Amino acid sequence: FTIASHKSQNLIVRASNPGQFETEPSVNWIKGITMSSVYHNGAVGINTDSPDEALCVQGNIRLSGAILQPSDRRVKTEIKQLDAREQLRTLRSLNLYRYRLTDEWADTCGRGEDEREDVGVLAQELAQALPDAVKVTSDVNMKNGNKVEKLLVVNKERLFMESVGAVRALADISENLETKVDKLAETRQATPSAKAPKWRDFALLFLLLVFAVAVGFLLGSWSARWVGDNAQNAANNAAPETTTSPLLDSLCHEVARA
């Protein structure tokens, strides 16, 4: 049975000198509190011996899950809503490039020949439009002996959040345009029905005018014929006046001609 148990620093037993023990001061990895976890105190570098962040990786990262970041309102203060139009103007000032990494930098990062082309922004330009999205890091020594002093890195999470605001601004603009288009369509649909009676009145007036002109033309022609016929009858017939009216004589004459 175990009477007492005590955990101290890790010990190394040298087989060449039994009975003598010494500690290993360079051990930074220990078992974590949670199950199946490992704890390391300090920065970790993968393919780099000078990490300046908690984890620095020179190369690709394969991830099967999601990157989770705390965003609880209870741990935030001085919360202010941003103007989405400002974020849209910020993104409009940025340029997107297709580029190829230099061979010396790609070799240092472990990028293969088919992984050296990419699409993105330039940190120097982004720093002018969105300063808090760019960070100055330490110098980086490349494999060929050259050194990149104060390497600039981009916080793409910050850039992504700026894009979210810009998309929100575009959505508001699109919604306003849709509203205006709908109102314009409703106005155009209502306009013909409102003006239809006026157009019908004009058409009816035009028809009446044409009818009046035609009637006037016919009456004028008939009156001229009637006057000419009466004059000719008066010249040819020297008969005494009768009790019948000239209009009645003319109508009788027209019936006889018909």
Side-chain angles (χ1 to χ4, degrees):
F1 299 93
T2 302
I3 298 176
S5 176
H6 176 72
K7 179 179 179 181
S8 60
Q9 294 182 346
N10 297 327
L11 301 177
I12 296 178
V13 179
R14 295 184 181 277
S16 60
N17 190 7
Q20 295 185 4
F21 306 95
E22 64 181 10
T23 61
E24 186 180 11
S26 61
V27 175
N28 294 323
W29 297 89
I30 63 176
K31 186 178 183 301
I33 298 176
T34 58
M35 185 178 298
S36 301
S37 64
V38 178
Y39 172 76
H40 181 274
N41 183 20
V44 177
I46 299 177
N47 293 333
T48 177
D49 57 0
S50 57
D52 53 359
E53 300 290 348
L55 176 62
C56 293
V57 180
Q58 292 279 11
N60 296 336
I61 298 176
R62 177 176 297 177
L63 182 67
S64 60
I67 298 178
L68 305 178
Q69 298 179 351
S71 185
D72 197 313
R73 183 184 181 91
R74 296 171 296 178
V75 298
K76 300 179 181 180
T77 184
E78 299 181 4
I79 302 174
K80 298 178 181 179
Q81 186 173 0
L82 298 177
D83 186 359
R85 295 173 297 180
E86 290 293 335
Q87 295 171 313
L88 178 60
R89 282 191 285 267
T90 299
L91 287 189
R92 290 183 61 184
S93 65
L94 297 178
N95 296 317
L96 195 63
Y97 300 96
R98 180 180 295 276
Y99 56 85
R100 178 179 175 84
L101 299 174
T102 61
D103 293 337
E104 52 187 0
W105 176 256
D107 293 339
T108 303
C109 298
R111 303 282 289 269
E113 289 292 336
D114 57 342
E115 299 175 332
R116 302 189 178 189
E117 291 187 358
D118 207 342
V119 175
V121 297
L122 301 180
Q124 285 80 358
E125 291 185 359
L126 182 60
Q128 298 178 359
L130 203 63
D132 57 343
V134 179
K135 182 178 180 181
V136 181
T137 62
S138 59
D139 301 342
V140 176
N141 296 318
M142 294 186 286
K143 288 185 176 182
N144 62 354
N146 294 335
K147 180 173 63 176
V148 180
E149 298 180 354
K150 297 181 180 180
L151 181 70
L152 298 181
V153 295
V154 174
N155 183 359
K156 292 189 175 182
E157 180 69 19
R158 176 68 180 87
L159 185 58
F160 171 77
M161 288 301 170
E162 199 75 7
S163 301
V164 172
V167 172
R168 169 63 185 275
L170 292 176
D172 293 340
I173 294 174
S174 177
E175 184 176 358
N176 292 335
L177 290 176
E178 289 180 359
T179 302
K180 292 180 179 180
V181 170
D182 292 340
K183 289 182 178 180
L184 182 60
E186 293 176 358
T187 303
R188 289 191 173 184
Q189 290 178 357
T191 299
S193 60
K195 293 185 177 181
K198 295 183 178 180
W199 284 108
R200 285 198 294 266
D201 292 342
F202 285 134
L204 182 59
L205 182 61
F206 177 76
L207 293 177
L208 291 176
L209 181 61
V210 171
F211 179 76
V213 171
V215 171
F217 178 77
L218 294 177
L219 289 177
S221 300
W222 182 80
S223 298
R225 181 181 298 175
W226 177 75
V227 172
D229 291 343
N230 285 340
Q232 185 176 1
N233 293 333
N236 295 331
N237 301 322
E241 294 183 355
T242 60
T243 57
T244 61
S245 64
L247 179 61
L248 181 60
D249 295 336
S250 178
L251 291 176
C252 294
H253 179 70
E254 289 292 331
V255 171
R257 290 181 59 183

